[in-house]
Amino acid sequence: MRTKIVIVGAGPAGMLLSQILQISGIDCLVLERKSRAYVESRVRAGVLEQVTVDLLERVGVADRMRREGLPHDGFNLAVDGELFRIDMTGLTQGSKVMVYGQTEVTRDLIEAALARGTQVVFEAEDVTPHDIEGAQPFVTYRVAGGETIRVDCDFIAGCDGFHGVCRNAIPEEIRRTFERVYPFGWLGILSEVPPCNHELIYSNHERGFALASMRSRTRSRYYIQCPIDENLDDWPDERIWDELAIRLGDEAAAHIVRGPSFEKSIAPLRSFVSEPMRHGRLFLAGDAAHIVPPTGAKGLNLAASDVHFLAEAMIAFYKDGAEDLLNDYSRKALARVWKAERFSWWFTGITHRFPDRNAFDRKMQVAELDYIRHSHAAQITVAENYVGLPLE
Ligand SMILES: Cc1cc2nc3c(=O)[nH]c(=O)nc-3n(C[C@H](O)[C@H](O)[C@H](O)COP(=O)(O)OP(=O)(O)OC[C@H]3O[C@@H](n4cnc5c(N)ncnc54)[C@H](O)[C@@H]3O)c2cc1C
């Protein structure tokens, strides 16, 4: 079997790339380890930058997002329960973010891909890239324990997330990784109740961080910072609601509607970058190359901007054989990645309690948040990073 590009992974990065390539008349094949149902039900991101929204519009996968998504032009920061607002749109000359769940983005992209006839193989086993340093790379996989299938291609796009196989196909002596693992996690719940505020609230409380978010006007997403080895059984719903009411403060608590959670999990927090994002004929995009803590809502958005740069380079190559954009992909993508890494790391640092920090450090956090509250210049910086830096 032969195709131009084999895409490993049917998450947001892989499916968005397949959509852009298909629209541009470039054949591709997507190989995904999990089932379609599993991929479509993975609960994760919820905040889309303007750049991501524009990309989804451009590839014709934005109808449902326009109908059901919630455009936000501000968000709130809170210190020990006292709220203040960052007017994103006013501070950035009109930019917004869109609250629309990753599950919905993925569903829309998969539906659009299958409608276009893109080949997507779910439950592909033992997906392995080969000969990435040569001019004729190929990928092998199996289905249901059957015979090994070989797909020859021009390029391989490693969109297979943090636990995928593609990053490790780059020889160790070439790869450099940079990592910070945070000494806490986020306990998240989804509940079919209206949100306590029509905008997000990021709260620094002396008991730990809390986030009030949402997926729709009737579905809330809440998080609290917790030890990474916390036992979920110790957190019945009522305890979580009580803790949220304390950490988010009286103003937000007065509007919290309690209900049963239908999803509850603890996510680790990590900053991670693997360089380079290209080796030979293999290109990495999204979580396969980098991870951010979810505080800045950047992970899915970085996957989208990587794909934008990669698709642009591949389209130029197939149009007139130009390789300069392919050669520049890793540098260009990493320049944006590192800025988002910085923002996510910084935002995590000023909003969470760190077990190894003392009362002085907490005073510094509170002073920084107070500075942001009263400084127009500081608010512009926060807002322009939150809505997403331009693609350049
Ligand atoms: C709790 C949580 C909250 C988050 N909140 C936000 C947020 O608000 N905003 C934001 O922008 N981001 C957020 N993120 C991050 C965001 O979810 C990820 O950055 C995003 O999913 C990255 O997309 P991706 O396609 O690169 O990787 P993934 O979504 O991980 O997709 C990779 C795909 O590759 C498949 N795969 C893996 N290995 C193989 C293999 N060997 N063979 C074939 N297929 C394989 C996987 O099954 C998966 O489907 C959050 C993440 C978490 C965990």
Side-chain angles (χ1 to χ4, degrees):
M1 206 196 308
R2 183 171 174 86
T3 186
K4 288 196 165 87
I5 293 152
V6 173
I7 299 172
V8 184
M15 292 317 298
L16 185 58
L17 181 61
S18 75
Q19 184 72 6
I20 304 178
L21 294 177
Q22 284 287 354
I23 286 173
S24 311
I26 301 169
D27 280 347
C28 60
L29 165 74
V30 183
L31 298 175
E32 164 59 49
R33 181 166 59 181
K34 300 284 188 184
S35 69
R36 179 177 176 183
Y38 181 93
V39 173
E40 290 185 346
S41 61
R42 214 165 17 205
V43 178
R44 283 180 170 184
V47 179
L48 308 182
E49 294 175 352
Q50 186 77 52
V51 159
T52 308
V53 170
D54 292 347
L55 258 177
L56 291 169
E57 295 266 10
R58 253 178 40 214
V59 297
V61 190
D63 288 354
R64 200 159 67 90
M65 177 183 70
R66 282 277 163 236
R67 277 197 316 273
E68 298 176 16
L70 306 174
H72 279 201
D73 47 27
F75 67 92
N76 302 282
L77 291 169
V79 187
D80 291 336
E82 209 180 308
L83 265 61
F84 64 96
R85 183 169 185 270
I86 302 292
D87 172 13
M88 284 183 295
T89 305
L91 291 157
T92 60
Q93 293 159 349
S95 293
K96 293 175 191 285
V97 295
M98 178 75 85
V99 172
Y100 188 62
Q102 179 167 337
T103 39
E104 312 311 313
V105 174
T106 311
R107 262 177 58 197
D108 295 349
L109 282 166
I110 291 177
E111 210 168 277
L114 298 181
R116 281 195 146 266
T118 306
Q119 279 182 277
V120 186
V121 179
F122 289 99
E123 299 180 69
E125 299 159 5
D126 302 333
V127 176
T128 312
H130 301 269
D131 286 0
I132 59 170
E133 291 176 340
Q136 287 156 345
F138 62 98
V139 177
T140 54
Y141 70 101
R142 295 185 310 137
V143 176
E147 278 183 17
T148 298
I149 301 166
R150 171 178 168 145
V151 191
D152 292 281
C153 56
D154 299 329
F155 302 109
I156 301 166
C159 302
D160 49 348
F162 185 64
H163 301 287
V165 289
C166 289
R167 184 175 66 250
N168 293 331
I170 300 177
E172 247 177 70
E173 61 276 16
I174 305 269
R175 249 186 303 141
R176 284 194 71 194
T177 56
F178 305 84
E179 184 170 36
R180 165 146 309 171
V181 178
Y182 297 84
F184 42 72
W186 277 17
L187 196 176
I189 55 165
L190 265 176
S191 182
E192 214 57 66
V193 291
C196 67
N197 191 301
H198 70 287
E199 293 175 338
L200 274 68
I201 305 172
Y202 292 86
S203 177
N204 175 325
H205 191 275
E206 63 172 355
R207 291 168 69 98
F209 169 81
L211 169 58
S213 181
M214 74 279 298
R215 289 294 178 268
S216 70
R217 289 192 179 85
T218 55
R219 180 172 289 189
S220 296
R221 181 78 164 146
Y222 287 100
Y223 295 99
I224 49 174
Q225 175 187 351
C226 67
I228 190 62
D229 54 358
E230 197 76 327
N231 186 350
L232 271 183
D233 294 342
D234 293 337
W235 286 92
D237 289 351
E238 272 316 299
R239 184 176 171 207
I240 296 173
W241 292 117
D242 289 345
E243 193 64 29
L244 283 165
I246 296 169
R247 294 191 194 183
L248 292 170
D250 292 345
E251 195 181 331
H255 299 283
I256 289 180
V257 180
R258 298 183 180 214
S261 67
F262 62 90
E263 200 272 343
K264 192 188 288 184
S265 55
I266 296 177
L269 270 71
R270 180 194 302 273
S271 298
F272 173 88
V273 180
S274 178
E275 295 185 349
M277 287 174 62
R278 180 246 177 118
H279 181 65
R281 295 262 164 169
L282 171 68
F283 294 80
L284 301 178
D287 279 16
H290 43 73
I291 296 283
V292 284
T295 325
K298 292 288 170 239
L300 170 57
N301 293 299
L302 279 181
S305 59
D306 289 352
V307 163
H308 164 79
F309 295 132
L310 183 54
E312 194 181 45
M314 287 173 164
I315 291 166
F317 175 81
Y318 285 109
K319 194 162 158 258
D320 45 27
E323 291 201 32
D324 45 337
L325 289 181
L326 287 174
N327 293 337
D328 200 31
Y329 166 70
S330 181
R331 186 204 61 78
K332 210 167 176 180
L334 282 167
R336 195 169 193 275
V337 165
W338 275 115
K339 280 174 250 174
E341 289 282 346
R342 186 208 66 81
F343 178 67
S344 307
W345 159 84
W346 169 82
F347 202 16
T348 304
I350 62 160
T351 48
H352 289 68
R353 298 306 312 276
F354 287 73
D356 59 342
R357 294 195 192 163
N358 60 20
F360 176 85
D361 298 308
R362 164 104 173 116
K363 284 283 186 193
M364 287 295 102
Q365 287 185 331
V366 173
E368 183 150 10
L369 286 159
D370 195 41
Y371 169 62
I372 294 168
R373 179 180 194 158
H374 294 105
S375 162
H376 186 69
Q379 289 193 10
I380 291 177
T381 300
V382 173
E384 77 169 353
N385 279 280
Y386 194 85
V387 299
L389 297 174
L391 294 171
E392 49 189 15

